[in-house]
Amino acid sequence: MARKPRTNERPLPPNPPTAPSKELHTFANPAPGRDYLIQFQVPEFTCHCPLTGQPDFAHFTIDMVPDQLCVELKSLKMYFWSYRNEGAFHEKVTNTILEDIVAATAPRYLRITAKWYVRGGIYTNVVVEHRRKGWKPAAPVELPALPAERGLLG
């Protein structure tokens, strides 16, 4: 008989943690009253060219300002892994990943920068964004530059 999780434990995900999956798990944003940036770096993305079958490699940077939900890292890793044996155009897969993360988390802001490694002598960068309607980021705070302290030597 399966043991019930304790109150401080979350239930186990429905898919094994070591298998590729298109399912993105989420958890409650611990600071929903504040805009803050979560940045994910995915340096080893792999899929296949749908025309030639050759492997394509990319470095993804995901910048996200969450609202009520954050994406769970292990599921994000398994999600990216699920593309390994799929054929996908750079532009399509980058937009699909954005759409899937937006559908799972409904963030205030999400930008994905995909830097595709050279293919036929051409590097491709794809940048896609989502902004929740009506959301505007706070103005950046400009702080004065201060000289470096040198202690007693200077």
Side-chain angles (χ1 to χ4, degrees):
M1 183 160 106
R3 158 179 96 71
K4 281 182 73 172
R6 295 185 188 117
T7 56
N8 64 344
E9 292 179 341
R10 67 182 179 140
L12 293 175
N15 59 314
T18 57
S21 172
K22 290 283 195 263
E23 187 176 358
L24 290 167
H25 298 269
T26 61
F27 61 93
N29 180 355
R34 170 184 302 128
D35 281 350
Y36 65 96
L37 177 70
I38 303 170
Q39 185 177 83
F40 306 106
Q41 297 281 330
V42 184
E44 297 178 338
F45 180 83
T46 307
C47 65
H48 291 273
C49 172
L51 300 178
T52 66
Q54 295 294 314
D56 281 327
F57 304 97
H59 183 128
F60 276 70
T61 301
I62 303 168
D63 294 312
M64 176 180 179
V65 177
D67 190 26
Q68 298 300 310
L69 297 172
C70 297
V71 67
E72 191 271 326
L73 290 179
K74 184 72 171 198
S75 73
L76 185 64
K77 175 183 173 180
M78 297 299 106
Y79 175 84
F80 273 92
W81 184 14
S82 73
Y83 283 96
R84 178 161 285 181
N85 294 317
E86 290 186 14
F89 288 108
H90 300 166
E91 300 79 3
K92 172 66 173 140
V93 72
T94 306
N95 276 281
T96 299
I97 290 169
L98 176 106
E99 291 163 4
D100 289 348
I101 295 172
V102 167
T105 63
R108 296 173 191 164
Y109 175 78
L110 183 70
R111 176 178 45 222
I112 297 179
T113 303
K115 294 187 174 194
W116 295 87
Y117 294 98
V118 68
R119 172 60 75 116
I122 299 172
Y123 288 98
T124 304
N125 295 327
V126 179
V127 180
V128 294
E129 287 188 345
H130 160 82
R131 288 177 192 264
R132 187 178 69 198
K133 189 173 184 153
W135 178 79
K136 291 187 182 2
V141 175
E142 304 238 359
L143 299 173
L146 300 173
E149 292 298 325
R150 300 182 194 274
L152 300 174
L153 301 176

